[in-house]
Amino acid sequence: MTTIDVGNGDRLDFEPARDTLRMTPGIGGAGIELQLKVGRTTDSANPPRYRIDAVLDISRRSQQGRRRLCRLQTGHLITPAVRATSFSLHGFASDEQLRVAEELRAGGELWFNLTLDVWTVEEPAGLIGYTGYLDFPVTAGEWCTQLERVDGASLVEVLVPMPTVAEYAGAVHRLQQARALLRDNQIDAALGEARKALEPVLEAARDGGLAKGAQNKLPRERTLAERFAVQVEATFSLLSGAAHDDEVTKDFRYTRAEALALLATTAGLLNRLATQV
């Protein structure tokens, strides 16, 4: 709960309502609705009305690493009573924002950090603003239930953190170029950039004969490292099919879905290599 002093000995008390979060499908994102409760400490025959807006930040832990998600607004003026009542705040978050939020959550709960902006709209005081802060957790179950409502049937996407060390800067840049080319539907060019990005991973997989030794084993006999080495070789071979024009590959035509799968695989293999250093 948080309390905002609004003058004249009066205070507004805010707290999350039960089933606080609700998401609704939208074009390119989702509507965000938060249910809060507000009550006042002083009764009045003519209680003032308030306009209430909020800025919603999210974090993995309370007050740590906060990131802005969206701005929220009420659809009408609020007249708080001594007995707390519910009201709704509404906003919108893009698909990309929700995917980043899911990455930030990392399978756990999310903390919602609200900055509440409250304005009186009654004469003669005119427009006077007050600010308060309300933090509360949204459980993993509640978040996942709402996320499934808006995109559970549309896509599954895994965000792959890219290495920041200088050794892999060139490969990361190649992947960024590949993504831009794919957005422009230049599939073969995108796969060519991804192939170049995979080269340091291929070199590591072949180091010490790991990949070659894995090819000479039955699949069930391969170690985990050997199985990844085989995957690297296979991915490089698939990417090479877009760059070459020999007797076998000249008729290769990659779909956008196949290109997306190969870019995601390349990004994941590069990230895996970077985390092993």
Side-chain angles (χ1 to χ4, degrees):
M1 178 184 290
T2 191
T3 297
I4 299 177
D5 190 336
V6 292
N8 298 320
D10 199 7
R11 298 188 304 274
L12 300 182
D13 296 323
F14 292 88
E15 62 181 327
R18 186 176 180 180
D19 300 323
T20 310
L21 174 65
R22 181 180 176 84
M23 297 187 196
T24 53
I27 297 176
I32 305 291
E33 179 183 346
L34 292 186
Q35 285 281 334
L36 301 183
K37 296 174 69 175
V38 60
R40 58 186 303 152
T41 57
T42 304
D43 203 358
S44 173
N46 297 297
R49 297 177 299 167
Y50 295 91
R51 194 183 89 192
I52 304 174
D53 294 345
V55 172
L56 174 58
D57 294 336
I58 59 174
S59 59
R60 183 67 179 85
R61 295 178 178 85
S62 179
Q63 300 294 335
Q64 295 183 19
R66 293 172 56 159
R67 299 187 187 183
R68 182 64 42 86
L69 184 63
C70 63
R71 188 164 186 85
L72 302 165
Q73 296 179 317
T74 51
H76 55 82
L77 298 178
I78 306 297
T79 306
V82 172
R83 183 175 181 180
T85 55
S86 298
F87 70 97
S88 298
L89 288 161
H90 298 268
F92 187 85
S94 70
D95 288 333
E96 181 66 19
Q97 287 175 299
L98 292 176
R99 289 193 285 269
V100 173
E102 182 66 359
E103 174 70 11
L104 177 66
R105 185 177 71 86
E109 66 182 11
L110 274 177
W111 275 85
F112 277 24
N113 316 117
L114 283 176
T115 301
L116 294 163
D117 295 319
V118 179
W119 290 273
T120 61
V121 293
E122 299 296 332
E123 297 293 344
L127 193 65
I128 301 177
Y130 308 91
T131 300
Y133 305 93
L134 178 63
D135 298 346
F136 56 91
V138 173
T139 66
E142 184 177 4
W143 173 262
C144 290
T145 296
Q146 294 303 317
L147 197 62
E148 288 172 0
R149 288 169 51 89
V150 297
D151 75 352
S154 60
L155 56 87
V156 174
E157 182 168 340
V158 178
L159 292 177
V160 181
M162 285 291 92
T164 56
V165 294
E167 183 179 356
Y168 301 110
V172 171
H173 180 64
R174 294 285 190 189
L175 276 175
Q176 291 170 338
Q177 289 182 310
R179 182 178 61 181
L181 287 165
L182 190 57
R183 285 175 176 169
D184 197 35
N185 215 35
Q186 298 184 52
I187 293 175
D188 284 353
L191 294 178
E193 290 297 321
R195 179 177 179 270
K196 294 173 185 176
L198 191 63
E199 286 177 356
V201 187
L202 181 68
E203 182 180 346
R206 290 177 175 177
D207 187 36
L210 178 64
K212 184 176 181 180
Q215 296 287 358
N216 294 329
K217 287 186 177 182
L218 292 173
R220 67 174 180 272
E221 296 175 349
R222 292 169 184 157
T223 66
L224 180 61
E226 288 171 337
R227 295 180 190 208
F228 269 109
V230 170
Q231 184 187 24
V232 172
E233 289 281 4
T235 303
F236 192 78
S237 176
L238 279 165
L239 291 169
S240 297
H244 296 162
D245 193 20
D246 55 36
E247 199 62 32
V248 175
T249 63
K250 65 181 180 180
D251 294 325
F252 282 14
R253 297 293 181 269
Y254 292 82
T255 67
R256 183 177 179 83
E258 291 167 342
L260 281 169
L262 287 169
L263 260 65
T265 301
T266 302
L269 291 171
L270 179 62
N271 184 55
R272 175 180 178 270
L273 175 62
T275 59
Q276 292 178 327
V277 175

